[in-house]
Amino acid sequence: MGRTKKLIIPSIAAAIGLAILLNLGFWQLGRLEWKENLIVQVEQGVAKAPVPAPVPTDWATLSDVDDYRNVSVSGEYLDGETFYYTALSKPFGKFGGPGVMAYSPFKTTDGWIVLINRGFLPQELPENERAHFLKPPEGISEITGLMRLGEKPNWTTPASNPNDRIWFARDTDAMGKTLGIEAQFLAPYSIDLDKRYTPSSGLPQAGETIVRFKNDHLGYALTWFGLAATLIGVFLAYAATILWPRKENAKDA
């Protein structure tokens, strides 16, 4: 009976720890199902015909499922541009490697503004040539492309350089502020132009959107379940030493 008493507190602690680890594992499996469904919806959305881009009254309800939606919008380009640093390892077009995506403000016919990712510019492109390629089309036009929700940098993201207007995250809010756009008029997303909008010069090289989702939930779930199995094994080994001690320790039990 005395040996069993020694297991009461460790048993309670082990049960609590096991419950926590199992709950975390099952939660990750739930997140895995959610992410897989999201990926399917996004892939289906990319293949669908363009729908009108979300207007200001829709902005508050946008969520991850709206990312990569194929949209269309009418308006005209405004002066100014910002850049998102990237590297194309497998470009769809002629140019690849390190460079920037060029974002230009686009004023819609309804009066609100959205940043348009016009395409890729190689890093080695001379500054004077870059300025030439950045001249946007004039006049009212209708454009189509993939909607990308804005993102915020985290602690691993390199600091942006507002002077060069180069960003290392698609922080549309910060980009718009640099361009002097009032926040209430700026869409919380950008639009990546379809590749058909690549000009005859080849730059900016549009249509370089990489449809990709990070999906590590299965690995996380297996990790939590593995820790749960380890906890069970450690507890059983400990309980065995208490309930069935070695002969030389039996007198001390």
Side-chain angles (χ1 to χ4, degrees):
M1 186 66 178
R3 296 174 185 173
T4 304
K5 286 184 177 180
K6 292 181 180 180
L7 290 176
I8 293 177
I9 293 178
S11 297
I12 294 173
I16 293 173
L18 182 62
I20 292 173
L21 292 172
L22 289 176
N23 278 328
L24 287 171
F26 286 118
W27 179 75
Q28 286 293 346
L29 288 180
R31 293 289 292 175
L32 173 64
E33 182 179 5
W34 168 81
K35 182 60 71 67
E36 289 177 340
N37 289 335
L38 175 62
I39 291 173
V40 170
Q41 291 182 57
V42 166
E43 290 176 344
Q44 292 175 344
V46 169
K48 290 181 179 178
V51 297
V55 297
T57 53
D58 299 326
W59 293 350
T61 61
L62 294 178
S63 64
D64 290 342
V65 73
D66 297 300
D67 213 6
Y68 296 102
R69 185 194 298 180
N70 200 5
V71 298
S72 64
V73 66
S74 297
E76 60 182 333
Y77 286 99
L78 302 177
D79 292 333
E81 60 276 326
T82 60
F83 307 98
Y84 168 52
Y85 187 85
T86 188
L88 299 180
S89 57
K90 296 180 179 179
F92 297 106
K94 175 181 177 181
F95 300 96
V100 294
M101 294 293 186
Y103 285 74
S104 295
F106 187 84
K107 186 175 182 179
T108 69
T109 52
D110 292 330
W112 51 275
I113 298 172
V114 60
L115 294 181
I116 304 298
N117 175 8
R118 295 175 54 210
F120 178 75
L121 295 173
Q123 182 171 284
E124 67 271 11
L125 191 67
E127 190 65 30
N128 61 327
E129 293 187 31
R130 175 186 288 190
H132 168 72
F133 289 121
L134 284 174
K135 185 175 176 59
E138 297 181 351
I140 300 293
S141 62
E142 181 176 5
I143 59 176
T144 60
L146 297 181
M147 186 178 81
R148 299 302 321 278
L149 298 179
E151 62 183 10
K152 296 297 181 183
N154 56 38
W155 66 274
T156 64
T157 307
S160 59
N161 188 338
N163 292 328
D164 293 336
R165 290 170 293 176
I166 295 178
W167 306 85
F168 296 88
R170 285 178 293 98
D171 190 347
T172 52
D173 292 338
M175 289 179 175
K177 185 177 180 180
T178 299
L179 293 171
I181 303 171
E182 295 184 49
Q184 66 267 32
F185 297 119
L186 181 65
Y189 58 85
S190 56
I191 298 176
D192 291 2
L193 286 183
D194 294 336
K195 63 181 179 180
R196 64 190 179 92
Y197 291 99
T198 300
S200 58
S201 62
L203 294 173
Q205 181 173 283
E208 292 295 343
T209 304
I210 299 174
V211 181
R212 177 175 58 200
F213 282 92
K214 185 178 181 180
N215 190 5
D216 297 328
H217 297 297
L218 179 58
Y220 292 147
L222 293 177
T223 298
W224 292 122
F225 288 139
L227 289 173
T230 300
L231 175 60
I232 293 173
V234 170
F235 176 77
L236 291 177
Y238 171 74
T241 62
I242 298 298
L243 297 175
W244 301 286
R246 293 181 180 180
K247 291 183 178 180
E248 57 268 25
N249 296 329
K251 295 180 179 180
D252 300 326

